[in-house]
Amino acid sequence: MSGKIFKRKIYERMLRWKRESDGQTALLIKGARRTGKSTIAEEFARKEYKSHIIIDFSIADIAVHELFSHISDLNYFFLRIQSLFNVTLYERKSVIVFDEVQICPPARQAIKHLVKDHRYDYIETGSLLSIKKNVKGIVIPSEETRIAMYPMDFEEFLWAIDKPQTHGLIKYSYQNFKPLGDAVNRDLMRLFRLYMLIGGMPQAVSAYLESNDFSAIDAVKRNILELYIDDFRKIDPTGRASRLFVSIPAELSRNTTRYKIGSVIENATAARLGELLMDMADSMTVNFAYHADDPGVGFSLHADYNYFKMFLADTGLFVTLAFMDRDYTDNVIYRKLLSDKLPADLGYIYENVIAQMLKSAGNELFYYTFKEEVRNYEIDFLISRKDKICPVEIKSSGYNSHKSLDMFQHKFSSRILNRYLLYTKDLRKDKDVVCLPVYMADLL
């Protein structure tokens, strides 16, 4: 392995799979490219097993690929694979990692028979796993435990920059509703703005630790974005997917109630591009927030999947994508965010990072718009807790007005558990509205 290995929360979930599954399922780690899937799988294999084989299908030669076309004789299959990789496998003490498994569909199909054999454990990593060409002609194995890997969240970022106690303080403040004080909040907001600029892609975080140079970090992020754009061009040679992707910052900046596909692709609608949008969601490079037509528990039952907002899965990439057509030095977001002078018209960056934090914490994303007394209102995000809902409003400043939350309360008071305002100041309450600093979003 090359590069720095960061502590990731997913490792504990992998340990739980190993302990509870005991070889009855393979572990499938899905996620966008460059989120660290291969690194964590190799680290886990090295630390938790007596021996391991890593099959990287992006570079494996034809002899390896051909092995999976003939697995009826598993004794021969295992002899061949040990010979090819010069590794001895030990029954119930070894693991085989199928890295970038989407490149070799027969290998994924073979999981059913390999798991049933039960000699060894299996870990798969992949992106774009449901794209038609990656599943064509194969039976998707049901013997998979599937977990998603996202870019580093804020806590993982703090671990990476050697501030492991910081999130503990944030969590204590949230759980005990104890304000941190203005000075501490300012320090934490500086760290959070740094996270927004760098993002959670391991390569970008490594570049920050190695160089402390935002131009170097930006170059890393541009390379990742180009990789994503190239992937979208492969999925959709017409270029529609890549155009929808690169237009996300522009669409959010319009401050409209949805992503207007027709403004990006002439005469296109969400209904007509439904399959393409599903492929974009499957890439896990973007997060979709769907409109909840009737906000209540079970948002998905009343969601309009043709009416949505689209965010980047990593806000660090979002900051770079917003200025991809210019040199790094022209990126005003870097300067404004670092100096805490982000103007209101760039507040959508906070919306993107909250979407990222809620999604990586296990929430599906929904929002709500409504009209009262000739005025339009919007609830940025809705989350369900117990048998109630919690509306979330976002402010990119310390301004704590919450007219949308108040009007929503008037309409749906019986459905609401808590109302949250996420902003840049310290924790407090305004009557029954819980005002939280944005860096607490993943604790909701």
Side-chain angles (χ1 to χ4, degrees):
M1 276 180 296
S2 60
K4 184 175 176 60
I5 300 174
F6 296 107
K7 180 182 177 183
R8 304 296 298 272
K9 294 177 181 177
I10 198 172
Y11 198 97
E12 291 300 318
R13 297 180 66 187
M14 296 169 73
L15 283 173
R16 187 162 65 249
W17 160 78
K18 184 177 186 290
R19 181 176 64 252
E20 295 176 356
S21 172
D22 190 32
Q24 299 301 317
T25 65
L27 179 68
L28 174 63
I29 305 172
K30 61 179 183 176
R33 295 176 70 178
R34 302 296 174 86
T35 52
K37 302 183 301 297
S38 301
T39 300
I40 201 72
E42 186 172 343
E43 183 190 18
F44 188 80
R46 180 173 52 83
K47 286 185 175 180
E48 306 299 334
Y49 291 89
K50 185 175 180 178
S51 70
H52 64 274
I53 289 175
I54 309 288
I55 305 176
D56 182 349
F57 286 109
S58 67
I59 58 173
D61 61 31
I62 191 169
V64 174
H65 282 263
E66 288 179 345
L67 274 177
F68 294 92
S69 300
H70 309 283
I71 62 165
S72 56
D73 185 346
L74 285 178
N75 290 327
Y76 177 72
F77 173 85
F78 290 127
L79 284 172
R80 286 281 292 128
I81 208 166
Q82 289 175 91
S83 175
L84 283 169
F85 288 89
N86 195 29
V87 172
T88 300
L89 297 173
Y90 302 90
E91 191 164 333
R92 303 303 317 132
K93 294 181 181 179
S94 297
V95 64
I96 303 175
V97 177
F98 294 171
D99 195 17
E100 301 290 358
V101 71
Q102 78 279 357
I103 295 173
C104 185
R108 190 174 181 201
Q109 179 170 265
I111 284 294
K112 177 180 182 67
H113 307 287
L114 296 172
V115 166
K116 184 178 180 180
D117 175 74
H118 202 245
R119 262 178 268 192
Y120 315 113
D121 281 356
Y122 302 91
I123 298 174
E124 306 165 87
T125 77
S127 54
L128 307 170
L129 287 162
S130 299
I131 304 301
K132 281 185 177 180
K133 69 176 184 178
N134 294 332
V135 295
K136 187 175 181 180
I138 71 166
V139 177
I140 301 299
S142 58
E143 296 78 6
E144 289 177 335
T145 296
R146 302 176 189 181
I147 59 177
M149 189 169 191
Y150 299 101
M152 290 181 187
D153 64 19
F154 185 45
E155 184 175 12
E156 290 173 322
F157 177 78
L158 291 171
W159 292 342
I161 64 172
D162 200 26
K163 293 186 179 294
Q165 291 82 27
T166 303
H167 202 266
L169 173 65
I170 294 170
K171 193 176 295 184
Y172 181 87
S173 171
Y174 173 81
Q175 292 174 343
N176 296 280
F177 209 82
K178 286 187 176 292
L180 292 158
D182 290 341
V184 173
N185 180 67
R186 281 195 298 271
D187 288 342
L188 292 173
M189 279 304 306
R190 275 194 289 269
L191 289 172
F192 188 71
R193 292 196 302 272
L194 186 65
Y195 170 64
M196 291 170 68
L197 289 172
I198 297 169
M201 305 303 282
Q203 284 180 305
V205 178
S206 289
Y208 166 71
L209 294 173
E210 292 167 5
S211 68
N212 197 30
D213 177 358
F214 278 111
S215 63
I217 299 163
D218 198 68
V220 168
K221 292 191 291 177
R222 285 171 186 258
N223 288 337
I224 295 172
L225 286 167
E226 291 290 356
L227 184 70
Y228 289 174
I229 292 167
D230 286 345
D231 281 343
F232 283 129
R233 288 180 181 135
K234 293 173 186 173
I235 293 171
D236 175 43
T238 68
R240 293 172 302 174
S242 58
R243 284 168 63 191
L244 291 172
F245 177 74
V246 300
S247 298
I248 291 173
E251 284 298 300
L252 284 176
S253 71
R254 296 181 203 277
N255 198 29
T256 56
T257 58
R258 62 188 171 94
Y259 190 112
K260 293 185 177 179
I261 290 179
S263 68
V264 179
I265 301 171
E266 189 176 359
N267 298 323
T269 64
R272 292 174 185 168
L273 298 183
E275 186 175 326
L276 185 63
L277 293 170
M278 287 179 63
D279 287 346
M280 293 184 70
D282 186 71
S283 75
M284 295 181 67
T285 62
V286 296
N287 290 323
F288 283 83
Y290 297 101
H291 192 272
D293 291 344
D294 182 18
V297 175
F299 297 123
S300 59
L301 298 175
H302 305 286
D304 185 345
Y305 290 95
N306 292 322
Y307 199 102
F308 58 84
K309 291 188 176 185
M310 203 183 330
F311 306 94
L312 254 70
D314 180 76
T315 303
L317 294 182
F318 179 94
V319 168
T320 295
L321 182 62
F323 289 82
M324 274 287 278
D325 60 338
R326 308 181 209 173
D327 185 75
Y328 153 75
T329 55
D330 294 326
N331 193 332
V332 296
I333 297 180
Y334 277 89
R335 298 196 300 274
K336 296 293 187 182
L337 258 180
L338 279 174
S339 59
D340 194 22
K341 295 179 180 177
L342 193 71
D345 62 351
L346 293 177
Y348 54 85
I349 300 170
Y350 279 92
E351 195 175 349
N352 196 96
V353 77
I354 299 303
Q356 176 184 346
M357 295 172 79
L358 291 176
K359 181 70 174 180
S360 63
N363 302 282
E364 294 303 317
L365 303 179
F366 298 93
Y367 71 106
Y368 183 65
T369 59
F370 59 105
K371 189 173 184 177
E372 290 286 335
E373 301 172 356
V374 306
R375 182 177 169 183
N376 295 316
Y377 297 94
E378 179 174 326
I379 300 299
D380 294 311
F381 295 104
L382 293 165
I383 55 178
S384 60
R385 295 294 181 265
K386 301 177 181 178
D387 60 344
K388 299 283 187 177
I389 61 174
C390 300
V392 179
E393 188 173 347
I394 301 165
K395 299 286 186 183
S396 60
S397 66
Y399 193 54
N400 64 347
S401 68
H402 39 75
K403 187 65 174 176
S404 292
L405 288 177
D406 294 340
M407 296 304 293
F408 189 82
Q409 167 82 6
H410 181 71
K411 283 176 67 72
F412 301 108
S413 59
S414 63
R415 305 183 186 186
I416 296 172
L417 178 64
N418 292 311
R419 295 187 292 158
Y420 294 106
L421 175 73
L422 296 176
Y423 70 154
T424 60
K425 297 299 183 181
D426 198 6
L427 177 149
R428 65 185 291 266
K429 264 195 174 183
D430 184 9
K431 296 180 181 178
D432 69 333
V433 174
V434 181
C435 303
L436 299 174
V438 286
Y439 49 76
M440 290 185 178
D442 60 342
L443 299 173
L444 293 178

